[in-house]
Amino acid sequence: MTNIRSIAKLAGVSVSTVSRVLNQHPYVKEEKRRKVLEAVEQLNYIKNANAVHLSKGKTYSIGVVLPYLNLPYFGEILQGIAGEALKHGYHLQLFQTNYDKGAELDAFHRLQMKEVDGLILTSRSNSLDVLTPFMENANVVFCENVYGHSCKKIYIDHYQGIRNGLEHLYSKGHSRIGLCLHRMFGTNSEERIRGYYDSSEAAGNPVREEWIFNDCYHLEDGRDVVKAWEQLKEKPSALIVTSDQVSAGMVTEAGKRGIRIPGDLAILSFDNHPIADALNITSFEVPIRKVGEESFKLFLENTDPRPVILETKLFERGTV
């Protein structure tokens, strides 16, 4: 097996010179650098990454925990992380969990084994009590508002975002308003639900259990929501939808069924994905990519930085 001693012998230089060339240190004479690189090519040498990691105390790898790869929301966060990681010479290890708690814990075990230098959690399944033992002296960034823990976190103010959405619908004369969510658990979803109930209660508007739709991720889920809405005896006149993909499915299904948008049903969406513009869907822009960018910057911070909080912005179109 080729090692740096073999390279040094073939190149006619010292082992320390080979080491400096392989680790891209300056102050190596160009002739010696050329000889080392020629020997490396001739011997087909591949550096032992683990040895380099041990010597430097870093892997220059960061783990990204995310439930799904095929949803635009998480894809945008990943794009933001990847762009910043590239600037700083890091590569990504992806841990797709499908919200499986064991798969999420595997990422933390990899962190403990120092296979990655840190983790960014774009969404979380395990309780903080379960994760805390893995986080001692570990570099972990949460993309949510983690309460009661001193940790690195960046989040969108989903609570206020939902309240702003409801206020916009109130201003258009709506009082019977439903909610479509990815899931009922998790900090971000719970913040949305809390904002929905708090705003409805403050306005004195009714809330019905059947007006809250769960497990809404894809276009087809939006179609199913419209079908379920059509069967309700007492229908909400408007829906807040936390995904443009779902809203797009709702708009297309409503068109097939002769349901007027916004005459029969108003739709206020979130994300402001290009599909919202294409289908003329009123949507709050959620700075998702910036979440990824800022989460990586937090990872690089050595001190305990203050939380980063991002806001939403309304783009009015034709569905409200």
Side-chain angles (χ1 to χ4, degrees):
M1 182 179 293
T2 301
N3 55 36
I4 62 173
R5 293 183 183 278
S6 305
I7 297 169
K9 183 176 180 180
L10 181 61
V13 299
S14 67
V15 169
S16 60
T17 297
V18 174
S19 179
R20 286 198 297 273
V21 172
L22 293 179
N23 289 290
Q24 299 180 349
H25 283 274
Y27 313 122
V28 178
K29 289 183 178 179
E30 193 55 40
E31 183 182 357
K32 289 185 177 181
R33 186 183 301 277
R34 179 180 55 79
K35 287 182 177 180
V36 169
L37 293 176
E38 287 175 354
V40 165
E41 185 175 356
Q42 186 175 337
L43 295 171
N44 194 26
Y45 174 75
I46 300 174
K47 279 198 296 185
N48 184 324
N50 288 332
V52 173
H53 298 161
L54 286 172
S55 66
K56 294 187 175 182
K58 283 187 176 183
T59 67
Y60 288 96
S61 175
I62 183 169
V64 181
V65 181
L66 70 175
Y68 305 110
L69 293 173
N70 62 341
L71 292 182
Y73 181 91
F74 296 107
E76 279 293 298
I77 293 179
L78 191 57
Q79 281 288 97
I81 296 170
E84 290 299 315
L86 186 62
K87 292 178 188 177
H88 292 86
Y90 277 80
H91 65 274
L92 307 183
Q93 285 196 40
L94 303 184
F95 299 94
Q96 182 178 341
T97 66
N98 292 353
Y99 286 122
D100 178 79
K101 294 181 178 180
E104 186 174 278
L105 287 177
D106 179 60
F108 278 86
H109 284 299
R110 302 289 185 90
L111 178 62
Q112 279 194 322
M113 296 296 291
K114 302 189 184 302
E115 293 183 24
V116 292
D117 296 334
L119 291 177
I120 295 175
L121 273 75
T122 65
S123 192
R124 175 173 56 88
S125 297
N126 286 282
S127 71
L128 290 173
D129 289 341
V130 171
L131 298 181
T132 297
F134 297 94
M135 292 167 52
E136 187 176 355
N137 299 320
N139 195 345
V140 179
V141 181
F142 290 90
C143 297
E144 61 176 283
N145 187 10
V146 179
Y147 292 102
H149 282 257
S150 177
C151 58
K152 296 180 178 182
K153 58 184 178 181
I154 174 169
Y155 61 93
I156 295 162
D157 192 346
H158 292 290
Y159 174 84
Q160 190 59 49
I162 290 293
R163 295 205 66 158
N164 291 343
L166 285 160
E167 291 294 334
H168 183 68
L169 290 171
Y170 300 155
S171 73
K172 300 294 183 178
H174 295 282
S175 58
R176 294 176 292 110
I177 302 169
L179 180 65
C180 297
L181 296 158
H182 289 336
R183 56 182 188 153
M184 299 294 286
F185 61 94
T187 303
N188 292 336
S189 293
E190 289 164 5
E191 287 291 280
R192 293 179 179 124
I193 294 168
R194 189 167 67 88
Y196 173 71
Y197 275 99
D198 285 356
S199 182
S200 299
E201 182 180 353
N205 290 330
V207 172
R208 295 181 178 274
E209 186 177 336
E210 61 269 25
W211 292 356
I212 300 178
F213 300 89
N214 189 27
D215 292 328
C216 298
Y217 294 94
H218 306 286
L219 281 162
E220 54 268 29
D221 298 324
R223 298 188 185 109
D224 291 340
V225 168
V226 169
K227 294 172 188 176
W229 174 87
E230 202 172 29
Q231 297 301 313
L232 292 173
K233 289 183 179 180
E234 186 172 354
K235 298 177 176 62
S237 64
L239 288 173
I240 288 183
V241 186
T242 59
S243 164
D244 287 333
Q245 301 293 310
V246 177
S247 295
M250 295 172 65
V251 169
T252 55
E253 186 64 25
K256 293 177 186 177
R257 293 173 175 267
I259 298 169
R260 295 172 303 143
I261 305 291
D264 298 319
L265 175 65
I267 297 173
L268 190 151
S269 191
F270 276 80
D271 289 349
N272 198 38
H273 188 271
I275 199 171
D277 187 34
L279 295 179
N280 201 29
I281 298 170
T282 298
S283 184
F284 273 92
E285 183 175 75
V286 179
I288 309 169
R289 185 171 295 197
K290 192 168 181 63
V291 170
E293 293 169 353
E294 294 298 325
S295 67
F296 187 85
K297 291 175 184 177
L298 282 176
F299 159 74
L300 292 178
E301 291 283 344
N302 293 322
T303 57
D304 291 330
R306 303 178 77 174
V308 179
I309 307 171
L310 303 177
E311 306 292 337
T312 57
K313 177 184 177 182
L314 178 64
F315 283 77
E316 292 193 58
R317 298 189 181 97
T319 58
V320 174

